Amino acid sequence: MIVYADSSLLVRAYLPDEQDHARACALLRDRDTVVVTGTWTRIEVAGALVRAARAHRGDQMLMLDSWERDTGPEGPVTVLSAPQEALEADAHDLVITYGIRAVDAWHLACASIVVPQIAGDEPVAFASRDKEQAEVAAARGFTLV
């Protein structure tokens, strides 16, 4: 299975005090699942981890090093990019159609454009902690995990 994971879920793998920490860690350890995400996620997660460290919720360097390793060539998260023009057009349509937040629409557009191209016959899923984003992902044919 290929799972597009958005930052709302991925950041929880690095913050043990967060709800869904175990779920996020299990997703990253599942050898039968290919976890992918978009380029913007690298920035979102890094920012969330820095803010968490400033709130004394973890060691900034350790969390950022783990995140960089996990999104590196040997890590469990593959970072994908989509053509910017198509990505922005689809995200714009999602915002207008569903009224979801811009960054949530960006993730859904990225997943919708890139994941089907690499999936072949593999089932595709979307992982998020955001209820509205997940509902739109399901409407677009993604299984929710």
Side-chain angles (χ1 to χ4, degrees):
M1 173 180 289
I2 298 176
V3 177
Y4 184 99
D6 105 317
S7 58
S8 69
L9 182 73
L10 287 172
V11 73
R12 278 142 177 89
Y14 308 94
L15 298 172
D17 61 337
E18 282 284 336
Q19 182 179 3
D20 289 334
H21 171 72
R23 175 182 165 210
C25 290
L27 181 65
L28 296 183
R29 288 192 306 263
D30 185 345
R31 296 196 183 273
D32 295 326
T33 300
V34 176
V35 179
V36 299
T37 196
T39 53
W40 186 250
T41 307
R42 294 187 71 240
I43 299 163
E44 281 187 297
V45 171
L49 295 178
V50 168
R51 288 188 305 279
R54 288 180 181 169
H56 308 287
R57 294 177 58 207
D59 181 274
Q60 179 175 319
M61 290 309 297
L62 288 176
M63 291 187 298
L64 289 174
D65 286 347
S66 292
W67 173 237
E68 291 300 318
R69 258 192 327 276
D70 285 351
T71 56
E74 302 299 319
V77 181
T78 300
V79 179
L80 304 172
S81 62
Q84 186 168 344
E85 190 172 313
L87 181 63
E88 290 176 5
D90 193 25
H92 182 261
D93 289 345
L94 286 164
V95 166
I96 290 171
T97 303
Y98 295 100
I100 60 175
R101 294 180 307 158
V103 72
D104 292 341
W106 187 96
H107 283 289
L108 283 166
C110 186
S112 297
I113 292 167
V114 179
V115 172
Q117 293 177 1
I118 63 171
D121 293 334
E122 284 286 317
V124 296
F126 195 90
S128 174
R129 289 210 61 254
D130 184 281
K131 183 181 179 206
E132 290 177 339
Q133 183 188 41
E135 288 171 357
V136 177
R140 286 205 151 190
F142 287 95
T143 300
L144 301 178
V145 294

